[in-house]
Amino acid sequence: MLGEDHSLANEFPQYMSSIVRLVASDTSFAKDTEQYNALDTEIRKLELQGAPISDEDMHQKKHDRAVLKDSLYQRLVDASES
């Protein structure tokens, strides 16, 4: 679906307390979260504007978002287990 919100808070509401805690205490997690949310916002804007970039560039942005999402999710799971 075009323009869908994939922000970290929207994707993993069950981990909100962990997200807030890690953003405050882990600079690497905070940086990656900021990058992920910025990339998601950029993708949504591009989709709503009819994606005025090449398909390859859009695919790369979505790939980069997915890689970050996987990494952030694993860190959330690990933090929740400890």
Side-chain angles (χ1 to χ4, degrees), residues 53-65:
I53 63 173
S54 72
D55 287 345
E56 294 82 19
D57 288 342
M58 181 62 91
H59 176 74
Q60 186 62 52
K61 288 181 184 302
K62 288 183 177 185
H63 171 78
D64 293 347
R65 179 180 64 184

Side-chain angles (χ1 to χ4, degrees), residues 2 44-53 58:
L2 294 179
R44 277 188 283 136
K45 286 180 182 177
L46 288 167
E47 287 176 340
L48 293 173
Q49 295 170 357
I53 63 173
M58 181 62 91

